[in-house]
Amino acid sequence: MEASSLAAAPALPLRRDREAAPVSHTAAPAGSIAAARVHARDALGRRMLAVSDTAAAAIALLLCISVFGDDRLRAATVLALLVVVPLSKIIGLYERDEVLIRHTTLEEAPAIFQLATVYTLVFWLSAPMLMVGQLGRDQVLVLWIMFAVTALSGRVGVRHGSDRLLPPERCLLIGDVQAAEQLEGPMTRGHVRIDFVGRMDTTAWSGPVSYAELAGLVDEYELDRIIIAPDDGRPQSVLDLIRAAKALGVRVSVLPRVMEVVGSNIEFDNLGGVPLLGVRPLRLSRSSLVVKRCFDFAVASTLLLIALPLLATLALAVRLSSRGPVFFRQTRVGRDGDPFRIFKFRTMVADAEALKPSLAGLNEADGLFKMADDPRITRVGRFLRRTSLDELPQLLNVLRGDMSLVGPRPLILDEDTKITGFDRRRLHLTPGMTGHWQILGSARVPLGEMIKIDYLYVAGWSLWADVKLMLRTIPYVLGRHGQ
């Protein structure tokens, strides 16, 4: 089953009737069956990725030598392919999937480009022994780019195929109902294939965690992963639980409550063997703001030039479809609370705002005003919203500096008044055309959860994070998930 009912997952009892006798050398250790199953699953995933990476290198070499040149490969080229897997292993490209619940290839892009760079350098240095002819500069560039592209594409295909072929991970959540509710929304929207067999309260262990009792649960319910939501008042029990689960060979995930405040933009420190988390300030430095602004201006200018014919066509369609202006202008709350006028293609009838109070009872969103079948939307407007093309004029806001390509959601004045206290720190960054709230489905994310997402985006900003969110917006738009 999909991760759609975590809070409603059955509460599993702790079986106290199990024998906690020492394990003999002749009998199979408790939990060994689960460990073997998890190991086999991980090994299969690593082999599939290794084959994909090797195939990507072979395709890149054939294109580089045979298509973009008139050279020939020697038989010794096979030796060049054999270094792909060791290089990937050294970079750490085969260990992520066994740790993570959500397997994403985009997160690996920097490491893949690093692999492509090292591999291209190795082949260039060894070219006299591996090919007949001379490796040109254009061929070096083709090899580097094609290896990176084919490796990323291959890994996307492998993970998509394995998600269909392999059964969902069987997970046990050890935490209270509140922790289950906190995980339920993100996992459901993230389309994670998880089979939750049940939930156990952290108070199930009144004393030290028993290895034998946990092993019994792992074997009985054929668990692949244990997700732990720590109880701040019982740190030693949580530590024992993590150690026991790791000793059993099952995967372990921990829900760190501190990350709700500090985000993922942290640095790990080590003070005499004691690990510490260094939390970065909840603001961007001046240099980071300059980098973000330059990136926004360059990309928005390029996109506007490319999209001018499309913008003109859409403007004409809006004009002819119904009376009223081409653009819809609305006051939104910008960076540091300063209001600005947002640009969109008009998708509703001219008097849409006047009709809004009469439709308040049909609102389908929590804290925001959203309707799946809003009667105020025109026929052309429905197409524009479904394809998210109504958002294109916001590129003008980006050029003016009112908005960023990626950032917190720009709220209207009524919605902004509902946000108070520390949550208002989401306004430390310029609102964006897209962001986490967009790719998760803006109408499906409650206002309170969206504020947390925006806060964590501000806390963990990086230029690469912006690029990733922009790339993830592309399939969202192509899939016509716009609201």
Side-chain angles (χ1 to χ4, degrees), residues 42 66 76 83 98 128 133 144 150 183 205 220-221 240 287 294-295 320 322 332 334 341 348 357 396 401 410 434:
D42 291 340
S66 303
V83 305
E98 61 190 67
W144 179 69
T150 51
L183 284 171
W205 278 276
E220 179 177 353
Y221 296 101
D240 292 341
S287 58
C294 291
F295 176 78
L320 297 177
S322 63
R332 299 290 181 99
R341 299 278 282 179
M348 293 186 176
L396 298 173
T434 188

Side-chain angles (χ1 to χ4, degrees), residues 132-147:
V132 178
Q134 186 174 1
L135 193 66
R137 292 183 180 179
D138 54 342
Q139 291 176 296
V140 172
L141 182 61
V142 168
L143 176 60
W144 179 69
I145 294 176
M146 291 309 303
F147 184 24

Side-chain angles (χ1 to χ4, degrees), residues 342-344 390-398 403 432-433:
I342 196 172
F343 290 96
K344 287 187 177 184
D390 61 317
E391 312 280 351
L392 277 180
Q394 291 175 30
L395 290 171
L396 298 173
N397 289 113
V398 175
M403 296 181 66
M433 290 182 62

Side-chain angles (χ1 to χ4, degrees), residues 14-62:
L14 185 62
R15 305 295 179 86
R16 296 289 185 183
D17 56 343
R18 298 187 183 277
E19 290 293 333
V23 179
S24 67
H25 293 288
T26 56
S32 62
I33 298 176
R37 183 178 62 252
V38 171
H39 176 74
R41 183 182 184 126
D42 291 340
L44 177 60
R46 287 193 296 269
R47 292 190 189 103
M48 293 172 66
L49 290 175
V51 170
S52 174
D53 292 341
T54 305
I59 293 172
L61 281 175
L62 288 174

Side-chain angles (χ1 to χ4, degrees), residues 161-175:
S162 62
D163 283 345
R164 292 179 174 272
L165 294 175
L166 297 176
E169 277 191 309
R170 292 178 61 80
C171 296
L172 169 67
L173 172 68
I174 301 181

